[in-house]
Amino acid sequence: AASGERFVVEAKEDASYTLAKARTEIETARKNRSARIGLFLFSAKTAPEGMDMLVRHGEDVFLVWDADKIESDVILRAGLALAKALCVRQQKERDAEEGNWDDMDQAILALEKEAKRISQIKSWTETIQGHSGKILDELRKMTNGLDQQIGVLRDSVAALRLG
């Protein structure tokens, strides 16, 4: 669906990286590798304080991933799916082919919204131990919601490939 499109991935476990510094780094990486989309992974150990788990700035996606926690993998999968979808979107825009942009836009917005909710819940679980069972249940529900949105996004990309 996006033949020839590229996205670049940068991963850092360095506390000196702010979001601004990461944006500069991913921009340079895109230029150096002739990529149109960038995916920047902050290590959960060194991510900037208050950083949302998944955020998009234009054609770049930034996420916080904890390699030691399997539940963090849904954020990584969501970031990869979002980067791929942005590649497909750009390719289709250039080809001026019609596609189901509404579904893709809704899935992208849903992913961003769910990732923001995960960030909030992560903060709550760190400060409110007495309610952690309820919060972790909500986190599980949101993880399932993110997985569903990733499926919607994959289905939309597959439909665009056939179109």
Side-chain angles (χ1 to χ4, degrees), residues 16 21-22 24-25 27 56 71-72 78 90 96 102 105 109 117-118 128 137-139 152-154 158:
S16 72
K21 186 175 178 180
T24 301
E25 178 95 4
E27 181 180 351
R56 179 178 57 116
E71 63 269 15
S72 180
Q90 284 194 352
D102 290 337
D105 286 338
L109 290 173
R117 288 179 61 205
I118 286 174
I128 306 172
D137 186 50
E138 189 67 18
L139 182 60
V152 167
L153 200 50
R154 283 191 179 130

Side-chain angles (χ1 to χ4, degrees), residues 15-155:
S16 72
Y17 274 85
T18 62
L19 184 57
K21 186 175 178 180
R23 289 180 78 176
T24 301
E25 178 95 4
I26 201 69
E27 181 180 351
T28 301
R30 278 190 289 108
K31 288 177 182 174
N32 288 344
R33 295 179 187 97
S34 301
R36 297 174 58 87
I37 305 297
L39 175 63
F40 192 98
L41 284 70
F42 286 97
S43 167
K45 295 173 185 171
T46 60
E49 189 170 326
M51 170 88 183
D52 287 334
M53 298 299 282
L54 178 75
V55 64
R56 179 178 57 116
H57 289 278
E59 304 307 325
D60 296 320
V61 179
F62 301 87
L63 61 90
V64 177
W65 180 58
D66 190 334
D68 298 328
K69 293 185 179 176
I70 196 158
E71 63 269 15
S72 180
D73 287 355
V74 70
I75 296 296
L76 178 60
R77 289 193 317 268
L80 287 167
L82 183 53
K84 289 177 186 178
L86 290 170
C87 284
V88 169
R89 182 178 181 175
Q90 284 194 352
Q91 177 70 35
K92 293 300 180 179
E93 285 176 352
R94 276 200 316 278
D95 293 344
E97 294 177 8
E98 290 186 24
N100 194 346
W101 299 121
D102 290 337
D103 284 350
M104 289 181 67
D105 286 338
Q106 287 177 359
I108 289 168
L109 290 173
L111 286 169
E112 291 172 340
K113 181 180 176 183
E114 292 301 314
K116 188 170 189 117
R117 288 179 61 205
I118 286 174
S119 267
Q120 289 174 331
I121 290 173
K122 179 180 176 277
S123 173
W124 296 338
T125 58
E126 291 170 350
T127 57
I128 306 172
Q129 293 232 334
H131 291 14
S132 65
K134 292 177 188 177
I135 294 169
L136 290 172
D137 186 50
E138 189 67 18
L139 182 60
R140 180 191 52 77
K141 290 176 188 176
M142 287 190 312
T143 299
N144 290 340
L146 278 171
D147 280 337
Q148 287 175 344
Q149 291 303 320
I150 290 169
V152 167
L153 200 50
R154 283 191 179 130
D155 290 345

